[in-house]
Structure formats: C-alpha cells, structure tokens
Amino acid sequence: MQKPAVVFCVLFLAGCAHFSDSSTLPAASNGAPQTYARGASATFKHLFSFDGTDGKEPYASLIATNDALSGTTYAGGHYNEGSAFQMTTSGTEKVLHAFKGGSDGALPQANLLDLDATLYGTTVNGGGAGDEGVVFKLVSGTETILHRFTAGSDGANPYGGLVEVSGTLYGTTAAGGTHSVGTVYTISTSGSENVIYSFGSSIGDGATPVASLLDVGGVLYGTTEYGGSSCATAGCGTVMQIAPSGSEKVLYSFKGGKDGKLPESALTEVGGTLYGTTTLGGTANAGTVFKISTSGTESILYSFKGGKDGASPSGLVALDGKLYGTTAT
C-alpha cells in the first residue's frame, strides 16, 4: 500500500473554506501524528516520530480513547511485525503490543475499535502456519487472540477493521470463504467467529473486500475491490449491502470507465447518502470520488487527473459540509 501524497477536499454541500478552529488529522505520511488549526493561516504541531523500534508505517487512522490516541503500525516494532500503540495529545507514546508473527498476529493495517475500554483489531498476516491473519483484543496492553483465520470457510487476510452493531463485531476478509474470494464474518467479544456471507456465490457478485464495513441504521454497507458484472472475469469492484443476518445485495457494479474502478476504501455516510472512492477509473484513470444512494443510484463527484491533482484516492472524512481525503500518488 502506498502512503498518502496529496490531501484533497471535495465540494458536496458547500465550498472548501479556511479552517476556523482546531481538529486532528490522521498520521502524516512520515508516520508523525499531527494537528492542524483551522484559520486563515493553518499551523501544524509535530507530536511524535516513530523510530522503527516502536513501529513504522502507521497506515490506519488514530482513534480517540479516554483522552488519548490509539493506533497501529503496519511494520516495525520489536519483532518488525507491527505494533499497537497509545499516545497522549502532548506526544507521549507507549507501545501496547509488539506483534510477533507466528501464532501471534502480524502486519495490522486497519483502525482499532474501542468498545468498553477494550481495543479490538485485526492483522493481515500471522496467526499460524498459514499466516492468514487474526482478530485480537487488547486490555491494558495485554493482548488476546480471539480468532486465527485458516483460509478455509472461515476466511483469510482481514485487511479491514471491525464495526460493532448491537454488541456483535462484524468484519471482512479479503480471501477464504466458500469461494476463496472473501467473507463477511461476525465475532463475539469472547472469540466465537461465524461467517455470515461468502463472496462469489453468484455471477456478478463482489469479490475481495479489503475495506471495513459501515453501519447505517443497523444495515452494513461496504465495497469489494473486484467482482461485479463488468470488466470481464475479475470484475471492477462493487458497492454492496449486507444485513446482519447475512443477506447480501450488490448495489452497484463499477464499469471501469468514467464511473471508476477498484474501490479499496470504506464508505462514508452523510445524510443517508454514501460516499466513497475508487483507486482507478474516471476520466484520466486516476481514480474517482463517487456518491451512491442506499438503493444503488451512483454518480461521480470528481475524477482525479494525476500529477499535482493526485491519483489513487483513499477513504473520505466528512467535516462541515465537505469531504476530505488523501491520494496515494
């Protein structure tokens, strides 16, 4: 995965404006969490730089946990398999867990989930001989593995994080499942895992979900990087809806042209409308920002041009009537 190269703002309710108070951005591309001040002249404050021994490559965004910030690094740490850390808003950092690989997890890429003073997360690899990833929890820095994926019917390689709906945790795996192209699974806080949907069950279904799910009123929405009814065998990706019971519906299949191709990031909801990005496609094949209704009506808000304009956008954040995001190149 490439690091963010461009920060952008997309007009969707009001024009981009100068900032007027303080807020927090995800980690900068050099791995240093930063803050910015909204105002005519934005100011940045450097909080912390990872040195590799405590982690490096923090792909996931930070989450707020009891007046502190918590996150993961994809690599680095004592065993060079990534870490989970916590940091004060003044920049004092503490490693909560250094992933070891092997039976432990390795390479966490997704955001953590804070639920009742417990942090839950996933790692892409580790867990055992198959190296297919894990779901873990952290309580006061003590890690417990809740599930080790086997690449069988239970799924494999959870790139996305977890979302909680009515006390149950939901996630996706990019591989494994009945048809070997990914799953949606539930897992209890005690570690009981159950696959509620395996992708690839029909022609035109999605495949390879690499993003976290989004809960909108108890219904889950997400993207699949591949699959759908266009772009020949592999497909150009989909937006899908799945009920907590496991009933799945493809809302939209990307065609690979101006409407976008290969959505890799999670969706954002504003006022009942879903917003997302594709890494390719659009007028210059540099990616798009799109919106889609919960009934499946899709339209393109912006097509990236590459170069100074940016290309291959990641996920979006909604703030004050605008969408903000980064591009990988």
Side-chain angles (χ1 to χ4, degrees):
M1 177 182 288
Q2 295 172 295
K3 299 176 183 177
V6 173
V7 179
F8 64 85
C9 168
V10 175
L11 165 71
F12 76 113
L13 292 179
C16 296
H18 288 300
F19 297 122
S20 58
D21 59 7
S22 295
S23 190
T24 304
L25 281 172
S29 59
N30 66 354
Q34 302 190 30
T35 61
Y36 69 93
R38 296 187 194 176
S41 58
T43 59
F44 287 79
K45 179 181 178 182
H46 175 272
L47 290 181
F48 183 79
S49 291
F50 293 96
D51 63 13
T53 62
D54 53 357
K56 65 180 181 179
E57 301 178 31
Y59 289 138
S61 298
L62 299 169
I63 66 168
T65 53
N66 295 326
D67 298 322
L69 305 171
S70 297
T72 60
T73 67
Y74 182 72
H78 186 72
Y79 305 96
N80 202 32
E81 299 286 5
S83 69
F85 65 91
Q86 195 168 71
M87 181 180 300
T88 66
T89 54
S90 61
T92 301
E93 187 245 18
K94 177 176 69 174
V95 174
L96 298 176
H97 182 72
F99 292 95
K100 304 176 183 66
S103 61
D104 193 18
L107 312 183
Q109 183 167 300
N111 295 4
L112 295 169
L113 172 67
D114 181 20
L115 185 62
D116 298 328
T118 300
L119 296 174
Y120 295 86
T122 61
T123 67
V124 176
N125 294 134
D131 210 32
E132 306 295 353
V134 307
V135 178
F136 66 89
K137 69 177 180 180
L138 286 167
V139 181
S140 301
T142 299
E143 185 226 28
T144 301
I145 300 295
L146 295 179
H147 183 74
R148 294 179 173 91
F149 292 96
T150 67
S153 60
D154 67 329
N157 308 123
Y159 284 84
L162 299 164
V163 60
E164 182 264 338
V165 181
S166 301
T168 299
L169 308 181
Y170 293 80
T172 61
T173 65
T178 305
H179 310 284
S180 301
V181 290
T183 71
V184 175
Y185 65 90
T186 65
I187 187 164
S188 69
T189 55
S190 61
S192 177
E193 192 252 12
N194 179 50
V195 169
I196 63 172
Y197 188 77
S198 288
F199 290 95
S201 61
S202 61
I203 296 174
D205 193 18
T208 318
V210 295
S212 303
L213 297 168
L214 173 69
D215 170 28
V216 181
V219 178
L220 299 169
Y221 295 87
T223 59
T224 64
E225 186 176 15
Y226 296 102
S229 56
S230 302
C231 300
T233 304
C236 283
T238 73
V239 176
M240 57 86 180
Q241 174 193 83
I242 186 161
S245 63
S247 174
E248 189 253 14
K249 177 182 179 182
V250 173
L251 294 180
Y252 188 78
S253 291
F254 292 94
K255 301 176 179 63
K258 292 182 179 180
D259 74 324
K261 179 180 181 179
L262 307 188
E264 293 183 351
S265 297
L267 300 167
T268 297
E269 182 264 337
V270 180
T273 298
L274 308 177
Y275 296 84
T277 63
T278 65
T279 58
L280 294 176
T283 55
N285 198 33
T288 70
V289 177
F290 66 88
K291 69 176 182 179
I292 184 169
S293 69
T294 54
S295 61
T297 301
E298 189 253 16
S299 61
I300 296 299
L301 294 178
Y302 188 76
S303 289
F304 290 91
K305 304 176 183 65
K308 292 182 179 179
D309 186 50
S312 300
S314 300
L316 302 168
V317 174
L319 179 68
D320 297 336
K322 294 167 282 292
L323 294 168
Y324 294 85
T326 60
T327 65
T329 59

